Amino acid sequence: MKVGFIGLGTMGGPMVLNLLQAGHEVTVHNRTRAKEEALATAGAKRAESPKAASLGAEVIVTCVSDSPDVETVVLSQNGVIQGAAAGAVVVDMSTISPKVTRRLAAALAEKQVQMLDGPVSGGSEGAQKGTLSIMLGGEAEAVAKAMPVLEAMGKTITHVGPIGSGQVTKAINQVIVAGTYLSVAEGLALGMKAGLDMSQVVKAVGGGAAGSWGLTNRSENMIKNDYPLGFRVRLHHKDLKIALEAAEELGVTVPIAAYVAQIEAGLMARGFGDEDVSAIARSIREPSGLG
Amino acid sequence: MKVGFIGLGTMGGPMVLNLLQAGHEVTVHNRTRAKEEALATAGAKRAESPKAASLGAEVIVTCVSDSPDVETVVLSQNGVIQGAAAGAVVVDMSTISPKVTRRLAAALAEKQVQMLDGPVSGGSEGAQKGTLSIMLGGEAEAVAKAMPVLEAMGKTITHVGPIGSGQVTKAINQVIVAGTYLSVAEGLALGMKAGLDMSQVVKAVGGGAAGSWGLTNRSENMIKNDYPLGFRVRLHHKDLKIALEAAEELGVTVPIAAYVAQIEAGLMARGFGDEDVSAIARSIREPSGLG
């Protein structure tokens, strides 16, 4: 298919490579234009604006940082909305506010352009291997149109509901990660302070009701007090703030998520924002952070 | 081996059946004596006191409710300590305070009786099937002596450190369960209030960093707001209080565990103490509980 792709960061770059490998014709644009070069070498066309990348595309993918970035990419004078043809599908794979998502979808709908929100989990490794988990919100018809493009980038592609639902699902993911990791950190701290054989402890509790991805894959970080990436604290914190905003709009209380967002703000202030999210264990090791 | 077994509740009863099936000679005692009858029919001898059940036994298992119960069973006038011979091993499989465990071990050591703490996870189903996870604290020599008995009751038998370590490991397990379940409840509530297809949501987030035993096995309870057993809120609350006491002694902060203990106390006050632990999701559905 003819694909326009805007946003060539840690995630977007490898995703474009997978699209090219699957035989799609991809036109790319990035705010820092130099990032287009490697992809041009791999067979992508370059475009000077989001509008130009959207001209003639059947599917247009946006993969940038936060709500304001997507708003600029889609709605500005040289934005996607100026280039996308009636019948095209815009898939925003950034993690942003579901409220902003619905606003963008409404603007695009006026031009007969359909929008899907498709935030991902699986990190840069998943982007490289084409094994991302993609959480989709939008109309089933648009999902069907975009599917060949999505399948080139992700393995688990789940349509969870109408526009904005993908973002709510991503928020759910990050809320659960927050509390799961922190409770693992609390448990492990007890064992470490008591002088237990921690690899045996992880083995003993990991097979039952206390088992989780976080316990299996992040307890070593917490035990060593060393937090290589992974997924950055500052990005998880951005996502949790989106989740907290969505929770307030929906009228849902998420006390643990709010608490973890506070911990992460503290970590960022102390210079730990670029560590893996499992660094929230620092709040159990060093409760006040006042030194 | 010759085994004395004290405490024939939901867990102890089926554990004795597995010991008999494995060919051990078991003498049983229970405070409510009538519970001995079914086991006598299955081949166990009955004893009129913990002391009598301990006479001549190589391994003595205690499986009762809480710290004071174990203290009574072991230290009272007709207690295990009066009947156990030098060289015998006492295995306490109750979930109790690690501090009390160490005190009991010291008292038994004066009579050349070794003690292990071996709390379990896996519930009544694990007790019946002989697939319990047993978390052991104590001397390696005593572990080796008791192993034929332990292997008849459990599948994953992990020696985590010196006396009391099994109880600390059980505390770790319950602390992690607390926060994991509550964060799953927070996440799911967002999706339910947003009207998402929840089975699709669980599928979308369950395979990645948000995945856990609780999400896989307890999200249905939380979505239906119906909490069949499982493991009772009031028992998990008892275990969390042990964990909080151990945390304070060790100098470890466990804020999420403390918060969940508060939620559970509220659930018990509202008559939900005999529901499954996943009922902590009620605190997200009905935050104040004031009606």
Side-chain angles (χ1 to χ4, degrees):
Chain A
M1 294 180 88
K2 292 190 174 186
V3 181
F5 202 108
I6 297 124
L8 307 171
T10 318
M11 300 296 288
M15 286 157 80
V16 168
L17 290 176
N18 284 324
L19 288 173
L20 291 168
Q21 194 142 29
H24 296 290
E25 293 174 47
V26 190
T27 303
V28 299
H29 172 75
N30 195 70
R31 191 169 49 187
T32 306
R33 300 282 320 269
K35 289 204 180 165
E36 297 163 8
E37 286 161 15
L39 298 167
T41 308
K45 287 179 200 155
R46 295 178 64 177
E48 62 177 9
S49 68
K51 173 183 174 178
S54 304
L55 287 167
E58 297 158 275
V59 174
I60 299 147
V61 179
T62 56
C63 189
V64 297
S65 292
D66 205 349
S67 305
D69 308 297
V70 182
E71 285 183 303
T72 303
V73 160
V74 173
L75 300 180
S76 67
Q77 212 173 353
N78 284 307
V80 169
I81 202 167
Q82 305 298 331
V89 177
V90 172
V91 187
D92 176 34
M93 303 187 79
S94 325
T95 296
I96 69 166
S97 155
K99 194 164 74 174
V100 172
T101 298
R102 286 188 292 267
R103 195 160 65 226
L104 294 171
L108 288 164
E110 288 179 16
K111 300 229 170 180
Q112 282 74 52
V113 175
Q114 288 176 294
M115 179 167 166
L116 299 172
D117 53 319
V120 300
S121 69
S124 53
E125 195 184 321
Q128 282 157 27
K129 293 186 178 167
T131 59
L132 292 168
S133 174
I134 305 175
M135 301 158 246
L136 282 175
E139 297 297 322
E141 186 207 338
V143 171
K145 273 193 204 169
M147 196 50 82
V149 171
L150 298 169
E151 283 174 343
M153 300 183 288
K155 202 174 73 174
T156 310
I157 300 164
T158 320
H159 184 204
V160 284
I163 189 75
S165 302
Q167 298 298 350
V168 174
T169 304
K170 181 71 184 282
I172 292 169
N173 189 81
Q174 302 298 52
V175 162
I176 296 179
V177 163
T180 305
Y181 279 28
L182 188 56
S183 63
V184 168
E186 288 188 359
L188 294 178
L190 285 178
M192 286 187 275
K193 207 75 183 277
L196 305 193
D197 178 336
M198 293 308 295
S199 67
Q200 290 294 91
V201 168
V202 171
K203 188 184 134 204
V205 305
S212 65
W213 190 96
L215 179 63
T216 303
N217 296 284
R218 293 293 179 261
S219 54
E220 195 182 329
N221 290 2
M222 297 181 187
I223 292 165
K224 291 184 175 167
N225 202 26
D226 184 30
Y227 309 95
L229 294 177
F231 188 74
R232 284 175 212 280
V233 166
R234 69 174 73 259
L235 292 178
H236 188 258
H237 182 252
K238 185 211 87 178
D239 292 359
L240 269 192
K241 284 201 296 184
I242 291 169
L244 293 175
E245 185 195 296
E248 185 147 344
E249 279 168 28
L250 290 164
V252 175
T253 61
V254 288
I256 308 297
Y259 178 57
V260 173
Q262 287 286 307
I263 289 171
E264 290 177 340
L267 289 174
M268 287 157 62
R270 293 165 64 204
F272 298 126
D274 291 318
E275 292 188 340
D276 180 70
V277 189
S278 49
I280 60 176
R282 289 186 182 278
S283 75
I284 302 298
R285 288 181 159 267
E286 316 141 11
S288 74
L290 290 172
Chain B
M1 294 181 85
K2 292 189 174 185
V3 181
F5 201 108
I6 297 124
L8 307 172
T10 319
M11 301 297 286
M15 287 157 80
V16 168
L17 290 176
N18 284 323
L19 288 173
L20 291 168
Q21 194 143 30
H24 296 290
E25 292 175 48
V26 190
T27 303
V28 300
H29 173 76
N30 195 70
R31 190 169 49 187
T32 305
R33 300 280 322 266
K35 288 202 181 167
E36 296 164 9
E37 286 162 16
L39 299 168
T41 309
K45 286 180 203 155
R46 296 177 64 176
E48 62 178 8
S49 68
K51 174 184 174 180
S54 303
L55 287 167
E58 298 159 275
V59 173
I60 300 146
V61 179
T62 56
C63 188
V64 295
S65 291
D66 205 350
S67 305
D69 308 297
V70 182
E71 285 183 304
T72 302
V73 161
V74 174
L75 299 180
S76 68
Q77 213 175 350
N78 284 308
V80 170
I81 201 166
Q82 304 298 332
V89 177
V90 172
V91 187
D92 177 36
M93 305 187 79
S94 325
T95 296
I96 68 167
S97 154
K99 195 165 73 175
V100 172
T101 298
R102 286 188 293 267
R103 195 161 64 226
L104 293 171
L108 289 164
E110 288 180 15
K111 301 231 171 182
Q112 281 74 54
V113 175
Q114 288 178 293
M115 179 167 166
L116 299 172
D117 52 317
V120 301
S121 69
S124 53
E125 194 183 321
Q128 282 157 27
K129 294 187 179 167
T131 57
L132 293 167
S133 174
I134 305 175
M135 301 160 247
L136 283 175
E139 297 296 323
E141 187 206 338
V143 171
K145 274 194 205 168
M147 195 51 81
V149 171
L150 298 169
E151 283 173 344
M153 300 183 288
K155 203 175 75 174
T156 311
I157 300 164
T158 320
H159 184 202
V160 285
I163 188 75
S165 301
Q167 297 297 350
V168 174
T169 305
K170 181 70 184 282
I172 293 168
N173 189 80
Q174 301 300 51
V175 162
I176 296 178
V177 164
T180 305
Y181 280 28
L182 187 57
S183 63
V184 168
E186 288 188 359
L188 294 177
L190 285 177
M192 286 186 276
K193 206 75 183 275
L196 304 193
D197 178 337
M198 293 308 294
S199 65
Q200 290 294 89
V201 168
V202 170
K203 188 184 135 201
V205 307
S212 64
W213 190 96
L215 180 64
T216 303
N217 295 287
R218 293 295 180 258
S219 53
E220 195 181 330
N221 290 3
M222 297 180 187
I223 292 164
K224 290 184 177 169
N225 202 27
D226 183 30
Y227 309 94
L229 294 177
F231 188 74
R232 285 176 211 281
V233 166
R234 67 174 75 258
L235 292 178
H236 188 256
H237 182 250
K238 185 211 89 177
D239 292 0
L240 269 192
K241 285 202 296 186
I242 292 169
L244 293 175
E245 184 195 296
E248 185 146 343
E249 278 168 28
L250 290 164
V252 175
T253 60
V254 288
I256 308 297
Y259 178 57
V260 173
Q262 288 285 308
I263 288 172
E264 290 178 339
L267 289 174
M268 286 156 63
R270 292 166 64 204
F272 297 126
D274 291 318
E275 292 188 338
D276 181 69
V277 188
S278 49
I280 60 175
R282 289 185 182 279
S283 75
I284 302 298
R285 286 180 162 267
E286 317 140 12
S288 75
L290 290 172

